[in-house]
Amino acid sequence: MTEDRLPSQKENFAEWYNQLVLKAELADYAPVRGCMVVRPYGWALWENMTAALDRRFKATGHMNAAFPLLIPMSFFEKEKEHVEGFSPELAVVTIGGGEKLEEPLVIRPTSETIIGHMYSKWIKSYRDLPVLINQWGNVVRWEMRTKLFLRTLEFYWQEGHTAHATPEECQEETLRMLEVYANFAIEDGAIPVVRGRKSQSEKFAGADNSFSIEAMMGDTRALQAGTSHNLGQNFAKAFDIQYLDKNNQQQYVWTTSWGLSTRFVGAVIMTHGDEHGLILPPKLAPYQIIIIPIYKNDEEKSLVMPVVTRVEQELAGFRLKTDPREEVTPGFKFNDWELRGVPLRIEIGPKDVQKDTLAFARRDVPGKAGKKLVPQAQLEAQVAEVLQSIQASLYERALAFRRAHTFEPDDYDELKSLVEMGWVFAWWCGDAECEARIKDETKASTRCIPLDQERGQGTCIVCGKPASERAIFGRAY
Ligand SMILES: [Zn+2]
């Protein structure tokens, strides 16, 4: 049995990505252009992400709810920036049950409008605040250029929508959820991210301010991996969400929204993957361990399989799978599970049975260097330690890569050449004109203005005017 090879990551990152998603059976193309089918292995990965996030949302006081997929068109027209930003991407239903509808219905591209409408009914008094709701679901945005997981017409996500009595609480919530995303990306995804504020031209349509976590992919391009928006009173005013405060005065609420989507699957693939395929962080991997029994005949099989069963029982606390296929060679299985990114492979052969050993092979260290013989004793502790070590080393590696590809240019000419090789961190005056010039001339957009930076007095890398903060510029997905 021969295996068709993965395109080279170094030579053609884009094709490597596309083929890997298909070959690892994460997703497939749907009959409708730009839509994807998430296959069980990809969905299992997403489920682990949703579980890790949901736990954090609940720990910060949020509850889940479900709002409708169909939204009256008129709702979108209530918030000017929102409709301008989203109208080119809307999918609209005009016929229902064979009849032309009186009012067209939009398939939600995001739910601020319908949730705003409901909040105006539910929120009457300061006692009703804060409202802390999250929704897991799917949305549709009519994208022209699509790519599996990164940009598809329909995608899966969660959207948090909260309402608060004061602008301070609203901003606190916006940053709290940004931190939840950063913590998830770093701790579970092993993806180093920069927390920052979006520029006015890059913010969410209808927000006062947007914040994001930005990650660097293996080709040095940036990926916005999660966003948190301070919507100010924009939606409160558009949807008349008012409450009676303690002094019996009517006040508009302050709202936030925040989302993280199946894009994050793409982030994991492109941050950690290598020439052999996926490398999944142990905390998110559908299988943390793949067990490969090795035998040539029935006699060896009868020696090996009881040990396999014992190992499975001892490691029942991990997500593990044994590959029992007899129609393919162990070598084929090694490649197959390497492609799928399982963090740890355990090989069990007749020699191991005799010597009370097992072979561990780490996915993050390909070849002989990542392989070692271990005693069968205290297996659970050994596995826990290796998985922890893989999780940590994936993060360290990605962080080192980002650092090696982040540059601080001295002038605009240097920016133009450095941006070809990664991210650029430079003083920016805040003018949209300077930002647009960088984008026109280099294709690099303002990724974010990092929250964690030394502020001071600099000069804008483009125009030379005084600047008080620095921004990250980079080409992005
Ligand atoms: Zn400037």
Side-chain angles (χ1 to χ4, degrees), residues 411-429:
D411 55 42
Y412 187 57
D413 278 339
E414 208 175 279
L415 178 148
K416 284 201 274 189
S417 64
L418 288 172
V419 90
E420 304 274 336
M421 295 181 284
W423 288 2
V424 158
F425 184 49
W427 293 102
W428 172 46
C429 66

Side-chain angles (χ1 to χ4, degrees), residues 457-474:
Q457 270 305 315
T459 53
C460 176
I461 192 82
V462 184
C463 69
K465 282 194 294 199
S468 60
E469 40 186 22
R470 283 177 287 185
I472 291 173
F473 300 93

Side-chain angles (χ1 to χ4, degrees), residues 157-402:
W157 76 341
Q158 59 67 218
E159 46 180 320
H161 294 270
T162 69
H164 307 268
T166 67
E168 292 78 19
E169 281 175 45
C170 184
Q171 176 67 3
E172 201 181 299
E173 168 78 2
T174 306
L175 294 179
R176 178 183 302 121
M177 301 325 286
L178 184 75
E179 191 52 36
V180 161
Y181 289 151
N183 182 270
F184 160 73
I186 293 166
E187 293 297 323
D188 291 7
I191 299 177
V193 290
V194 175
R195 305 154 175 86
R197 192 178 83 243
K198 293 304 245 189
S199 70
Q200 286 297 301
S201 73
E202 298 277 341
K203 71 173 189 189
F204 177 76
D208 275 0
N209 271 303
S210 289
F211 297 82
S212 69
I213 51 169
E214 298 284 330
M216 182 185 278
M217 303 295 98
D219 60 352
T220 76
R221 283 168 76 178
L223 187 129
Q224 176 179 293
T227 49
S228 185
H229 313 292
N230 184 331
L231 305 174
Q233 292 183 314
N234 303 329
F235 285 88
K237 287 180 177 164
F239 288 89
D240 198 30
I241 317 172
Q242 296 196 63
Y243 71 99
L244 270 182
D245 71 9
K246 285 178 185 166
N247 305 317
N248 243 6
Q249 301 289 310
Q250 283 284 351
Q251 304 280 357
Y252 285 107
V253 299
W254 301 80
T255 64
T256 79
S257 68
W258 27 276
L260 187 146
S261 74
T262 33
R263 272 204 124 190
F264 202 87
V265 174
V268 166
I269 300 168
M270 292 195 295
T271 301
H272 301 306
D274 68 6
E275 295 290 0
H276 303 277
L278 303 174
I279 303 181
L280 299 177
K283 287 194 183 168
L284 297 178
Y287 304 122
Q288 297 168 308
I289 305 161
I290 182 73
I291 299 174
I292 313 278
I294 298 172
Y295 51 81
K296 289 199 194 74
N297 50 46
D298 284 348
E299 192 192 334
E300 287 184 357
K301 184 179 177 180
S302 68
L303 288 172
V304 167
M305 290 317 284
V307 179
V308 169
T309 305
R310 210 186 67 224
V311 168
E312 283 174 343
Q313 284 163 354
E314 273 182 53
L315 299 179
F318 299 94
R319 295 188 292 272
L320 68 86
K321 181 180 169 64
T322 300
D323 187 342
R325 288 178 291 176
E326 294 194 335
E327 69 279 12
V328 294
T329 64
F332 178 91
K333 293 183 191 176
F334 295 173
N335 291 337
D336 195 24
W337 292 107
E338 269 174 18
L339 178 84
R340 290 160 186 260
V342 177
L344 178 65
R345 179 174 80 230
I346 300 181
E347 302 166 17
I348 307 173
K351 275 190 192 148
D352 298 309
V353 176
Q354 281 167 12
K355 294 183 187 163
D356 255 356
T357 57
L358 299 168
F360 274 10
R362 289 172 64 130
R363 177 61 185 89
D364 61 328
V365 188
K368 282 206 176 109
K371 215 163 154 174
K372 69 171 180 182
L373 277 185
V374 302
Q376 286 181 21
Q378 290 176 334
L379 196 53
E380 204 180 339
Q382 294 189 75
V383 165
E385 197 188 319
V386 174
L387 292 179
Q388 211 165 34
S389 157
I390 295 171
Q391 183 82 27
S393 85
L394 288 179
Y395 178 79
E396 289 304 326
R397 195 152 86 182
L399 183 61
F401 181 84
R402 189 186 82 198

Side-chain angles (χ1 to χ4, degrees), residues 17 47 82 193:
Y17 176 84
E47 273 179 344
H82 195 61
V193 290

